Amino acid sequence: MSCAMLLQCRHSCKKGNRLLRMLATSYSSFVKDKAYINGSWVAAANGNTFSVINPANEELIGTVPDMGIQETQSAIDAAHVAFDTWRKTTAKERSAILKKWFSLIESNKTSLAELLTKEQGKSMADSIAEVTYGASFFEWFSEEAKRVYGEIMPPSTADRRLLIMKQPIGVAGIITPWNFPIAMITRKLGAALAVGCTAVIKPAEDTPLSALAICQLGEEAGLPAGVVNVITTSSKNTSDVGKLLCESPRVATISFTGSTKVGKILLSQSASTVKRVSLELGGNAPFIVFDSANIDKAVTGAMACKFRCAGQTCICANRFLVQDVIYDEFVKRLAEAIKNQLVVGNGLDEGVNIGPLINEAAVNKVDDFVTDAVKKGATKIVGGNKNSLGKNFYEPTLLVNVTTDMECMKDEIFGPVAVIIKFKTEAEAIKIANSTDVGLAGYFYSQDLGQVWRVAEELQVGMVGANESLLSAAEVSFGGVKQSGLGREGGKFGVDEYLEMKYICMGGI
């Protein structure tokens, strides 16, 4: 999503959160207590369920089926059968369904955003932005459906014709995270459906309701039975369900967004069937501020990049690297912005822009990072403690005097904690930035044109924000290098993960 789009969403939400909630009286119509298999809303075979809890106040939002191997196999079988028909539909037919689905999401944006805030905890501004972003993938891929082109090559002999055609790969197993429960489904699913694949979706156990809500709208858009299936499962059954998706010969590809640790497990399990795998894994994004930077813009970018979704995004700034000449000034301005601009609370409350973390374990992990840093010499400038609002809240935090041996520099923080390290030269900044085994996103601010080109080329990441901190959009490719994943999502290359190339040699011409 563009910076302008996100800021517009946040501005409109800030002006009228209360009005938005009044309009969103129908969010409860999206709260399902069944999963979706082969065009039907179904319970678990054994009747088991698990609860979906609002992380802001620990209130029960709803219950969903706790499904396992049996239901997952049924979903795979349904998708396998549906593929034989869906792959033969025209690109125009698939495009029409995706366009209608996009329109339905747009017209239900406020209701979906309220459900998302209740389920995940992010502010209404962030939820509105995610729903808008998520819908954009269905709009984008509705057009890309018509642009899957083959090629004809000149032959070496006159009696042959050589051509390449692209065909849908088959059933896609889609495993999505809790931090963007709508957008991570639409980014994968839109591409898969556009080219003729079917899907089995396993949403995160913390946020299954948003996935079911999107599925409900897909049904209204005219999606045939079996083309999309959603399996809801608790953490107890997650590993078994994931293993079956990876090892089933009827599943042609796995698309996963989540931690590097889990991604490696899924990659290993998929090897048994030599399955296509696309992975969007963890990051440890550097955010470099050079002495030539516009400090005001750098601070604005830092706030948007670090604290969106309470710092729980895979591409948020994790390590701030600031050149020594402007270090003190940048720290001063960032501290002021954190104190004056961030309001912690229930994401549904007016003015709140920092919600809870997803659960208490996430809070404890963030607090351990801060404790380790302070023990090793870091200084708390702002925050640095668990918040009294509830067990899932953590104070927006700024740490300085940070060094490379601290855990917060080595691992992804995934919380509202900004850590700043000082550097002297461009070469030093690049060395620190590239010192990790992951490489998803990286950011830097500089007004030196030569430096902009050099640093953009030298950063070992899949995506670079140069004087820009909000870089996601449906029309561009999203993905990382090193242990941050395989493949790309979104943009014109997003469909490639769901296509096979077939070479045809015609003789006797």
Side-chain angles (χ1 to χ4, degrees), residues 30 62 99 132 135 147 183 220 228 232 235 258 260 317 334 337-338 398 435 472 483:
F30 287 113
K99 282 182 178 178
T132 301
R147 300 188 177 96
E220 292 178 25
V228 174
T232 57
S235 57
T260 299
L334 183 59
I338 293 172
L398 176 61
S435 64
S472 299
Q483 293 187 35

Side-chain angles (χ1 to χ4, degrees), residues 152-379:
I152 297 177
M153 286 72 68
S156 57
T157 59
D159 64 344
R160 290 184 177 184
R161 296 295 182 268
L162 313 178
L163 61 98
I164 296 287
M165 66 185 302
K166 295 182 180 180
Q167 295 180 303
I169 193 171
V171 177
I174 295 175
I175 304 173
T176 57
W178 50 262
N179 57 339
F180 286 89
I182 289 178
M184 295 304 95
I185 286 177
T186 57
R187 191 164 72 188
K188 301 170 187 296
L189 186 61
L193 297 182
V195 300
C197 292
T198 56
V200 177
I201 303 169
K202 195 214 84 66
E205 58 268 21
D206 294 300
T207 54
L209 296 177
S210 293
L212 296 172
I214 292 298
C215 193
Q216 177 182 328
L217 294 177
E219 188 176 51
E220 292 178 25
L223 202 65
V227 172
V228 174
N229 306 271
V230 179
I231 296 294
T232 57
T233 180
S234 69
S235 57
K236 181 181 70 174
N237 292 324
T238 289
S239 60
D240 289 339
V241 168
K243 188 172 187 288
L244 177 58
L245 288 171
C246 290
E247 295 183 350
S248 171
R250 287 193 162 187
V251 176
T253 182
I254 292 290
S255 180
F256 169 72
T257 296
S259 71
T260 299
K261 178 182 178 181
V262 174
K264 290 178 179 179
I265 294 172
L266 299 178
L267 183 61
S268 175
Q269 291 173 343
S270 297
S272 63
T273 52
V274 196
K275 201 181 305 297
R276 176 87 63 84
V277 176
S278 55
L279 305 171
E280 191 263 284
L281 307 178
N284 191 346
F287 189 108
I288 309 170
V289 185
F290 291 102
D291 58 10
S292 67
N294 181 314
I295 296 181
D296 288 335
K297 290 183 178 180
V299 170
T300 299
M303 292 294 292
C305 188
K306 174 71 251 187
F307 295 103
R308 180 169 61 111
C309 195
Q312 299 173 110
T313 82
C314 54
I315 60 171
C316 74
N318 200 67
R319 300 168 291 153
F320 286 88
L321 286 63
V322 181
Q323 200 152 15
D324 53 0
V325 177
I326 59 168
Y327 181 87
D328 291 339
E329 183 65 20
F330 180 84
V331 168
K332 176 185 175 183
R333 295 195 198 181
L334 183 59
E336 290 173 353
I338 293 172
K339 292 175 183 177
N340 297 330
Q341 297 177 22
L342 298 181
V343 179
V344 181
N346 188 319
L348 292 173
D349 290 341
E350 190 169 355
V352 167
N353 52 20
I354 293 285
L357 300 191
I358 191 63
N359 51 42
E360 190 175 12
V363 172
N364 290 335
K365 179 182 176 182
V366 170
D367 194 53
D368 287 345
F369 279 128
V370 173
T371 300
D372 172 78
V374 172
K375 183 178 179 180
K376 293 175 179 175
T379 302

